[in-house]
Amino acid sequence: MTKVLAQEDRERVSVVLVRARNPNNIGAVARAMRDFGFSALRLVSDFPIALSEARSAVDASEVLAGAQEDASLAAAVANCHLVVGTTAVGKRTQEHQLYTVADGSGLLRAALADGRRVALLFGSEKTGLSREELSHCNWIMTIPMHEMDGQRHPSMNLGQAAAVCLYELGRNTAVSSQDIDLAAAADQERLTALLAEILDESGYPPRLNSADDAQLRRLVRRMSLNPADAMTLLGMLRQILWKLRRGESAEGEPK
């Protein structure tokens, strides 16, 4: 079966720009969103963004006016069930399942058809998404590009990349039948934080830096937990942490 992505589905897609610095690039993304029928723009940055300077956002003032600014990526994707990052790949070590934009868009459409909210992440113009930022993703997708010998791996301008991804997501194409029922990102993040607390409390293994948190986050997302299972696991882990902090063994006897 083929169909164009419904407007109600487009409204459940959040385009998240992480550390984007150039107002004109942000404007180009907003224009691409408007042209392909998407409106939910979220900006993650630790410095003020001069959206008034986004001169490239022709006819996309409503998208910019409604943009949500968040201090953290976790906050930006908290209400999303499926979080997908974009990458130019290159020589970067892949720690996630990688799809082409054509295949990945089919999986996104399947999630939307099931009533889920999804987030599509784009990184900064210079470095893309960092390893820690990618740890918030369930999987990643890339736009295949022509490569030439002796030249660096090709990459696209932020606005161009967003336009290609949104075109593929919204175009008239077959809808995947894959059933996707994932816990919200906020619940997956709570699981990650709770696992980190348990590891700290137990002393195994020693956790030294944020890379360990990113590894835990990827582990949780690879589980592909549905909402009910996520709640069950949260309850189990809270009980374990409570026991650890009471200084008792699982049998209730003092250590």
Side-chain angles (χ1 to χ4, degrees):
M1 179 179 68
T2 61
K3 69 172 186 177
V4 175
L5 193 66
Q7 186 58 38
E8 63 183 21
D9 292 332
R10 294 172 197 260
E11 291 171 359
R12 289 197 301 276
V13 176
S14 294
V15 175
V16 183
L17 304 185
V18 186
R19 294 181 293 108
R21 291 180 173 272
N22 189 320
N24 282 323
N25 286 338
I26 297 173
V29 172
R31 181 176 182 178
M33 291 175 63
R34 183 262 185 189
D35 288 344
F36 292 109
F38 299 88
S39 59
L41 176 61
R42 300 182 181 183
L43 307 172
V44 179
S45 179
D46 54 5
F47 55 87
I49 300 174
L51 294 182
S52 61
E53 299 178 13
R55 292 182 293 273
S56 56
V58 179
D59 296 327
S61 57
E62 289 187 7
V63 174
L64 286 178
Q68 172 182 314
E69 296 188 49
D70 293 285
S72 70
L73 180 51
V77 302
N79 70 333
C80 297
H81 302 90
L82 181 62
V83 180
V84 175
T86 57
T87 179
V89 185
K91 297 181 179 180
R92 160 180 269 169
T93 300
Q94 297 303 315
E95 297 175 306
H96 296 75
Q97 179 68 48
L98 175 68
Y99 296 98
T100 65
V101 65
D103 292 337
S105 294
L107 297 176
L108 286 169
R109 284 190 292 272
L112 293 167
D114 197 37
R116 304 295 168 181
R117 178 173 288 279
V118 306
L120 186 58
L121 274 55
F122 297 89
S124 73
E125 297 90 339
K126 290 187 176 181
T127 62
L129 292 167
S130 70
R131 187 168 179 260
E132 194 278 334
E133 290 159 355
L134 284 170
S135 72
H136 288 266
C137 300
N138 296 97
W139 42 266
I140 58 177
M141 67 182 187
T142 189
I143 301 171
M145 300 181 68
H146 176 67
E147 296 189 49
M148 292 181 284
D149 292 339
Q151 296 190 16
R152 68 180 179 86
H153 188 84
S155 61
M156 299 183 77
N157 171 273
L158 181 58
Q160 293 174 328
V164 171
C165 291
L166 295 175
Y167 164 76
E168 280 289 345
L169 180 55
R171 73 188 179 94
N172 185 5
T173 187
V175 177
S176 170
S177 62
Q178 179 170 332
D179 183 25
I180 298 179
D181 186 19
L182 296 174
D187 292 329
Q188 296 183 67
E189 190 65 14
R190 277 192 280 271
L191 276 170
T192 302
L194 194 51
L195 279 171
E197 286 187 71
I198 289 172
L199 291 177
D200 285 339
E201 196 71 29
S202 68
Y204 177 83
R207 296 180 343 101
L208 302 177
N209 52 50
S210 60
D212 299 303
D213 291 330
Q215 185 176 15
L216 281 177
R217 191 175 290 114
R218 287 192 297 272
L219 173 64
V220 169
R221 278 149 181 74
R222 283 197 297 269
M223 293 178 185
S224 299
L225 295 167
N226 64 37
D229 288 345
M231 290 300 100
T232 299
L233 187 54
L234 275 168
M236 293 176 178
L237 294 176
R238 285 176 181 137
Q239 179 68 13
I240 291 171
L241 184 58
W242 179 75
K243 284 285 188 178
L244 284 171
R245 286 177 172 168
R246 283 192 65 191
E248 295 182 354
S249 68
E251 292 76 23
E253 297 294 330
K255 294 181 180 178

